[in-house]
Amino acid sequence: MFKNLLIGLSAVATVAAGTGLYLTRDTAPTHPVLKASALPPLIPTRAFYADPRSAFGYVASSDGSLVAFQQASIFGRSITVQEVATKKTIAEFPGDLSGYRWHPTKHLLRFIHKGNEWEADPKSPEPENWTRTSPISLSGWWIKQGYPTDDTLPALVLGKRNNREHPHLWHVSQDGVTAEIITKGTSKTQSWLLDENDTPLLRIDSLDTATLRLVRSTENGWEKLIDIHINDTFQPVSNVRADGTVLVRSSRGRDKVALVSFDTKTAEETVLIENPDEDVGGTTALTYAREPDFIRMGTNTHEKVALTERGQVFLDILAEFPQPVSLGATATTASGRYVTQAISPQSKSFVYLLIDLQEKRYEVLGEYHFRRFKDHLVQPEVVTFTARDGLEIPAVLTMPKDVAGPIPFIVFIHGGPAGQVGPDYGHGTQFLVNRGYGVLSVNFRGSIGFGKEFQAKGYREFGRAMQDDIADAALWLVDQGMADTDALVAMGMSYGGYSAALAMTRDPGLFDAAIVEFPMLDAEFQTKHHPGFWNNSLETWTRYFGDIDVPEDVDKMQRFSPSDRIARLHGPILVLGGQKDQITAIQQVRNFETDAHMAGKDVQVHYFPNAGHGVRHWRDKLRQARLREDFLAKTVGGRSGGYEFVEDAPDFID
């Protein structure tokens, strides 16, 4: 091990020596307004995506005395275990472990390694001392959360004995030795709802690609309760309670999603919390018991409402920080007393808290390394603009500090298209803004979070009304005096990449460049060659893009696909693709690249050999960021961090 470290240090030294003073060569902006502006200091690209000091993913032990978290270093990532009181490191585990959390009552760390669950004592962290706790009789890995007061009771898990079997509900002993089926699933089973005794009372089946069926357990077996159409949201967020009701995020019979109490006998809903302007957002449970403690009031608001006393304690603690507060990862102990929570006050990057809900207090476990730049980060703003047909379009605006006059602007297009963007902390957005660009993230028609009617306005409108919203966003920025009409960029991933590429074929002279990442570029190809796991909900795709068996729909797929509009391409485009992408097949990027180059178009393509539908590894994230900033600096005149010596870091740094 020590020899490897010496070799690694020598390699780093060699790279550094070879680059000399060329460790980072910042590129000043060329856009006249940015050149004349007092921009904040340029944050190095490596600080965003390759800082060896980063620590994150804190998880507390049952008694709150220990925490496990991911720790980066120049020698690779590790799962580090520390004492909370002293900050003393007592163990390090390999960084490739996943799903790490603590035993419900003991100082034993649980994790997934090579498809199985294991348990280890931090006092003896060597692999030879690990104990396997996933059942040998069952296939795949299992994450078991035990009962908070009695860890001898079995844990409830969902799974199967082999890949050919339907998923069943099981009770699995904490040591993984025994596994017993509670109830059997079918080929259509999606999930179960249980009571406080783990008795399955309701089951959700996939009736067809557009319909879910809620069935209930009766003396005569499972019987239909209601059918749920794909256009309706019906998301249970609690178990079946003692009074026979379930808390559900539902839009049945209304335009907006509300939090309702659903009667499992009559199927009647009683609205508990709603927002007339937006769908109420997701709920958060601060215990492993499936009972939510607070709910977010919508996509475009940070407002949260407590549903329990515990939730109110949690929100009272958040209120002590500068507002608004974005939430990151939440992890709770099995007893529910302790919560580790990542928060970003005023979009200044993350602080990690250990919250004691019983004592109603908290302590700071640490800060994400990036918070040292907090004074240079900016707070997003929720805005709306009016589309050409009069529809109000919500968006999130993020502007660089201390600029006056029209500047280069990026219109960011989210994926999905059934996605959304909100005003939470965005690391990638802060990167672009620090380079001098304004960013407008658009919730175009068809986005979720703003009611069924708003979403439905996007159905079958790809390339037309949905794309109009992107063009109208750019025109609004120019009309408001914020954006330079000669420095507008369309940018997005997946569906957003499709829309960004299409923008360079549809509205000549409006957008000056595009960044197209892990995109769908051929709607017909994507519809024919969709991933297999889409099969049970293919109507989700069809309602936006049409049916592959309907000639008129196929004609629209062809007419409004960037791959079929190569001759109309104008301006430079950067395309990023993952060679292991299982969502939008990389063949679309290869075909687009070949046809664009044959047509003499300015298309730059970069392939990530180990990436799927987006990048995960820090090296790929760093490379992605460098490609973005250099492309933007060249095309619309912002600044760039330039070459980073870690781009040539040897392979031993994981």
Side-chain angles (χ1 to χ4, degrees):
M1 175 65 178
F2 182 69
K3 180 180 179 181
N4 289 338
L5 296 187
L6 289 179
I7 293 172
L9 288 172
S10 175
V12 171
T14 300
V15 171
T19 56
L21 296 177
Y22 195 52
L23 295 182
T24 301
R25 178 174 292 177
D26 297 349
T27 301
T30 58
H31 189 276
V33 173
L34 297 182
K35 286 175 65 176
S37 299
L39 293 171
L42 189 140
I43 301 172
T45 315
R46 64 182 180 275
F48 276 94
Y49 296 106
D51 195 305
R53 290 168 287 186
S54 60
F56 53 93
Y58 288 82
V59 179
S61 62
S62 58
D63 61 358
S65 66
L66 301 177
V67 287
F69 58 93
Q70 292 194 53
Q71 175 68 64
S73 76
I74 64 169
F75 307 117
R77 287 188 302 127
S78 65
I79 307 299
T80 299
V81 177
Q82 279 187 354
E83 293 178 345
V84 171
T86 66
K87 307 292 185 184
K88 177 184 176 182
T89 296
I90 63 172
E92 290 188 352
F93 292 86
D96 61 349
L97 307 181
S98 62
Y100 62 93
R101 70 263 178 239
W102 291 92
H103 185 283
T105 61
K106 302 173 184 176
H107 284 177
L108 299 174
L109 194 66
R110 288 178 167 176
F111 47 84
I112 305 302
H113 179 64
K114 294 184 178 179
N116 285 292
E117 182 187 73
W118 301 81
E119 192 171 77
D121 187 337
K123 295 178 181 178
S124 305
E126 298 79 12
E128 59 266 26
N129 297 322
W130 299 355
T131 301
R132 175 174 164 169
T133 58
S134 56
I136 296 175
S137 59
L138 301 179
S139 65
W141 54 264
W142 299 76
I143 292 184
K144 300 195 305 297
Q145 298 296 355
Y147 291 77
T149 57
D150 188 348
D151 57 31
T152 65
L153 292 174
L156 191 71
V157 294
L158 173 65
K160 50 191 177 180
R161 281 177 292 242
N162 55 65
N163 291 332
R164 297 182 300 275
E165 188 177 57
H166 303 316
H168 308 315
L169 272 179
W170 302 74
H171 264 148
V172 176
S173 62
Q174 291 294 323
D175 60 10
V177 173
T178 61
E180 177 185 2
I181 292 179
I182 298 175
T183 188
K184 291 186 176 182
T186 73
S187 61
K188 296 182 177 296
T189 301
Q190 300 290 306
S191 60
W192 284 272
L193 294 176
L194 300 86
D195 65 11
E196 57 188 8
N197 298 315
D198 284 351
T199 302
L201 297 183
L202 297 173
R203 192 179 75 211
I204 298 178
D205 291 346
S206 177
L207 195 62
D208 53 49
T209 60
T211 312
L212 295 175
R213 173 164 290 178
L214 186 64
V215 296
R216 62 183 171 189
S217 178
T218 71
E219 294 180 355
N220 300 319
W222 293 94
E223 296 181 353
K224 171 187 171 181
L225 183 56
I226 57 170
D227 285 344
I228 307 156
H229 191 266
I230 195 169
N231 288 337
D232 288 328
T233 296
F234 188 85
Q235 179 192 12
V237 295
S238 77
N239 284 334
V240 181
R241 301 184 291 178
D243 63 358
T245 63
V246 178
L247 293 180
V248 179
R249 290 183 65 249
S250 172
S251 64
R252 293 174 62 236
R254 65 185 67 83
D255 180 54
K256 305 290 194 302
V257 175
L259 182 68
V260 307
S261 174
F262 177 83
D263 191 311
T264 61
K265 295 182 176 61
T266 65
E268 293 181 354
E269 294 184 357
T270 302
V271 174
L272 303 177
I273 295 176
E274 60 184 336
N275 180 343
D277 301 316
E278 302 178 40
D279 297 343
V280 295
T283 60
T284 299
L286 301 174
T287 63
Y288 288 124
R290 200 176 181 197
E291 184 74 20
D293 291 293
F294 64 90
I295 187 170
R296 183 167 174 165
M297 288 301 291
T299 299
N300 275 346
T301 177
H302 290 276
E303 182 185 359
K304 305 169 187 70
V305 174
L307 303 175
T308 65
E309 182 179 349
R310 295 164 50 79
Q312 190 60 58
V313 171
F314 182 88
L315 295 184
D316 288 344
I317 287 174
L318 294 188
E320 298 183 26
F321 292 85
Q323 301 297 305
V325 171
S326 299
L327 297 185
T330 304
T332 66
T333 58
S335 67
R337 174 173 176 176
Y338 296 99
V339 177
T340 51
Q341 179 66 57
I343 66 169
S344 177
Q346 297 182 334
S347 289
K348 303 296 186 184
S349 195
F350 288 104
V351 180
Y352 303 104
L353 307 180
L354 176 62
I355 299 173
D356 185 338
L357 292 174
Q358 180 175 305
E359 296 295 328
K360 301 181 181 181
R361 61 181 179 83
Y362 73 90
E363 58 183 297
V364 176
L365 295 172
E367 294 187 347
Y368 192 57
H369 69 96
F370 197 71
R371 265 186 68 82
R372 68 185 188 275
F373 301 110
K374 61 181 181 295
D375 292 338
H376 308 319
L377 306 181
V378 295
Q379 177 67 42
E381 175 189 0
V382 174
V383 297
T384 60
F385 63 89
T386 305
R388 63 191 65 183
D389 64 353
L391 184 65
E392 291 296 308
I393 305 296
V396 178
L397 176 69
T398 313
M399 289 280 288
K401 291 184 175 182
D402 302 321
V403 294
I407 62 172
F409 237 97
I410 296 167
V411 176
F412 179 80
I413 311 158
H414 66 68
Q420 59 182 192
V421 288
D424 294 312
Y425 173 76
H427 200 61
T429 299
Q430 296 288 350
F431 172 76
L432 295 170
V433 171
N434 181 258
R435 270 54 189 156
Y437 308 105
V439 179
L440 184 70
S441 301
V442 184
N443 282 308
F444 49 86
R445 71 190 70 204
S447 302
I448 61 174
F450 303 94
K452 290 187 289 190
E453 182 180 351
F454 184 85
Q455 184 180 3
K457 288 182 182 297
Y459 296 162
R460 309 292 177 97
E461 288 295 335
F462 66 100
R464 285 148 290 171
M466 278 203 293
Q467 196 68 28
D468 289 345
D469 293 345
I470 304 306
D472 291 344
L475 295 170
W476 177 77
L477 288 168
V478 172
D479 184 63
Q480 296 296 307
M482 291 185 282
D484 181 351
T485 187
D486 294 321
L488 281 165
V489 179
M491 176 178 175
M493 172 185 164
S494 194
Y495 170 82
Y498 155 86
S499 182
L502 190 69
M504 303 303 289
T505 74
R506 213 199 68 151
D507 301 288
L510 180 57
F511 287 100
D512 301 277
I515 298 179
V516 176
E517 300 185 338
F518 311 96
M520 173 188 78
L521 293 168
D522 184 334
E524 181 185 10
F525 181 98
Q526 182 69 33
T527 306
K528 285 181 178 178
H529 304 287
H530 60 79
F533 62 84
W534 284 12
N535 288 336
N536 287 339
S537 57
L538 197 56
E539 182 66 23
T540 302
W541 178 264
T542 302
R543 59 183 175 169
Y544 279 99
F545 292 96
D547 193 324
I548 197 66
D549 295 322
V550 177
E552 293 83 358
D553 289 351
V554 174
D555 177 65
K556 291 176 183 176
M557 295 177 196
Q558 294 171 347
R559 287 193 293 118
F560 296 104
S561 286
S563 61
D564 290 290
R565 302 166 67 91
I566 298 292
R568 304 185 188 187
L569 281 176
H570 67 274
I573 302 176
L574 171 65
V575 183
L576 307 182
Q579 291 187 355
K580 297 181 179 180
D581 196 333
Q582 295 182 339
I583 306 297
T584 55
I586 195 63
Q587 189 62 43
Q588 295 183 65
V589 175
R590 293 195 181 105
N591 293 344
F592 185 81
E593 178 186 23
T594 299
D595 293 345
H597 287 169
M598 287 182 63
K601 302 300 182 180
D602 187 358
V603 174
Q604 173 188 344
V605 180
H606 179 84
Y607 297 96
F608 291 89
N610 297 312
H613 199 55
V615 295
R616 299 292 181 267
H617 195 283
W618 70 263
R619 282 196 205 92
D620 289 342
K621 290 182 179 180
L622 179 66
R623 182 61 178 152
Q624 178 187 42
R626 291 284 298 109
L627 288 165
R628 287 174 174 175
E629 64 179 342
D630 283 351
F631 176 79
L632 291 169
K634 178 182 178 181
T635 55
V636 291
R639 55 186 182 171
S640 169
Y643 172 82
E644 297 275 13
F645 70 95
V646 292
E647 292 179 51
D648 293 323
D651 290 341
F652 81 95
I653 302 179
D654 188 14

